[in-house]
Amino acid sequence: MKCAFLICVYGKDDVCHLDEALASVITFSQTKHYEINIYLHVDGKVSQQHLDVINKINPYKIIHSKNNVGLAIGLNKLIEQLEDEEYIFRMDADDICCEDRIALQVQYLEENNDVDLLGGSIEEFVGSQENIVAYRNYPSLASAYYLPKGSPFAHVTICFRKRFFEKFGCYPINYPLNEDIALWGKALLMGAVGHNIPDTLVKVRMDSAYSRRTFKKASSELRVYLKICKDLKVLPIYPIARFIFRLLPISIVESVYRSDVRNSFLKS
């Protein structure tokens, strides 16, 4: 079974975290007897240490952009290079792929041919992988009408069928830092079928994650949700409330995001 992983790297990615992320894909894919092709985009200038880690795992294809072009363009460049892989996985450069991720998602998609894209649950950690600070799961059915409330997927858990990009296109490039939400909105509104499984598929590193949620990211997020609400013909109550919430002190935002109340809200 041929599968692809799409991973983007840029200069500010921690070298040790990148090494752990890539190693988790390689190690677990080998134990499950899948043919895994890693497609890696190097976004702008990176250090020799980054290149050493990348060369160590010998990606199937590497694309270099001389200047920083951003995640959406980088992912789209990788998508253009895909060959005959049946399933395409997303992965960030600092997270950890769980041991059974590939097997669980491939099996589910093999048994549910109508599903175009599949996500799952995540564990968030700070520092070491054992220091779990939160658990996130998502709605089993990712309906377009869920979108105004929030993202129906954890983007790092997504597995696409090969046909997905042929049917629904690639990542929109006009919503920087929120290209995933823009893609879900576009695809689900066009009729894509998205599911989530309850299993934990990825361990997500949260070191300094909330301090990186800038006004620029919040503004871009609001724009994409306003467009989705307009297309759905619903009032943008949740997106506006979320935007205001994003402007609160980081300590409050972090506390709410890690609470059981938020997780219950996302499941409903």
Side-chain angles (χ1 to χ4, degrees):
M1 176 74 67
K2 281 191 176 182
C3 303
F5 268 79
L6 307 182
I7 304 173
C8 293
V9 179
Y10 82 125
K12 291 185 179 180
D13 285 324
D14 184 281
V15 173
C16 292
H17 297 168
L18 172 64
D19 193 14
E20 292 178 7
L22 295 176
S24 73
V25 175
I26 294 296
T27 301
F28 297 140
S29 65
Q30 288 175 340
T31 61
K32 296 302 180 182
H33 307 293
Y34 294 104
E35 182 178 344
I36 303 298
N37 295 332
I38 294 179
Y39 290 74
L40 196 143
H41 176 247
V42 180
D43 194 7
K45 186 177 180 180
V46 298
S47 71
Q48 184 59 49
Q49 288 78 16
H50 286 94
L51 296 175
D52 289 343
V53 168
I54 291 168
N55 292 332
K56 183 171 66 174
I57 61 108
N58 190 27
Y60 185 68
K61 287 188 180 181
I62 304 178
I63 298 176
H64 293 264
S65 291
K66 183 178 180 180
N67 299 311
N68 186 275
V69 298
L71 185 58
I73 292 177
L75 288 169
N76 289 343
K77 286 186 174 185
L78 296 179
I79 290 166
E80 290 175 357
Q81 296 296 315
L82 290 170
E83 296 180 0
D84 58 347
E85 298 89 359
E86 289 296 324
Y87 300 108
I88 297 94
F89 293 79
R90 276 278 279 112
M91 184 81 176
D92 276 352
D94 60 350
D95 298 330
I96 306 298
C97 184
C98 291
E99 183 173 359
D100 294 328
R101 176 188 179 180
I102 299 168
L104 287 168
Q105 291 188 276
V106 168
Q107 179 180 348
Y108 189 92
L109 289 168
E110 288 283 296
E111 295 173 353
N112 297 271
N113 190 55
D114 62 317
V115 177
D116 298 299
L117 69 166
L118 178 68
S121 300
I122 61 174
E123 289 179 349
E124 297 178 348
F125 70 95
V126 174
S128 70
Q129 296 180 45
E130 292 71 32
N131 185 29
I132 303 299
V133 296
Y135 170 79
R136 301 270 178 257
N137 53 18
Y138 292 79
S140 56
L141 174 62
S143 165
Y145 287 93
Y146 180 92
L147 283 163
K149 191 161 68 169
S151 174
F153 301 106
H155 72 274
V156 295
T157 69
I158 286 296
C159 177
F160 303 95
R161 286 189 190 276
K162 180 181 180 181
R163 71 188 184 208
F164 177 90
F165 301 108
E166 299 167 359
K167 292 173 64 176
F168 305 109
C170 296
Y171 285 87
I173 63 173
N174 52 338
Y175 297 101
L177 307 177
N178 291 279
E179 50 281 311
D180 293 291
I181 298 292
L183 181 61
W184 314 149
K186 177 178 72 168
L188 293 176
L189 286 166
M190 290 174 64
V193 177
H195 287 187
N196 286 289
I197 56 177
D199 307 83
T200 299
L201 302 178
V202 177
K203 294 182 179 181
V204 176
R205 194 181 301 274
M206 296 300 291
D207 303 70
S208 304
Y210 295 100
S211 61
R212 296 196 301 267
R213 292 184 173 177
T214 62
F215 180 79
K216 178 181 178 182
K217 178 175 174 60
S219 299
S220 175
E221 180 186 68
L222 178 61
R223 286 195 300 111
V224 69
Y225 276 117
L226 289 177
K227 182 181 185 307
I228 289 169
C229 288
K230 181 180 179 181
D231 292 339
L232 289 171
K233 296 181 173 59
V234 299
L235 293 175
I237 297 172
Y238 288 120
I240 292 173
R242 184 167 47 248
F243 175 73
I244 295 171
F245 170 73
R246 298 271 199 243
L247 304 181
L248 295 176
I250 292 173
S251 59
I252 296 176
V253 174
E254 183 174 354
S255 177
V256 172
Y257 265 85
R258 289 181 177 173
S259 69
D260 291 336
V261 173
R262 177 181 180 267
N263 209 29
S264 298
F265 174 77
L266 287 174
K267 289 170 61 179
S268 62

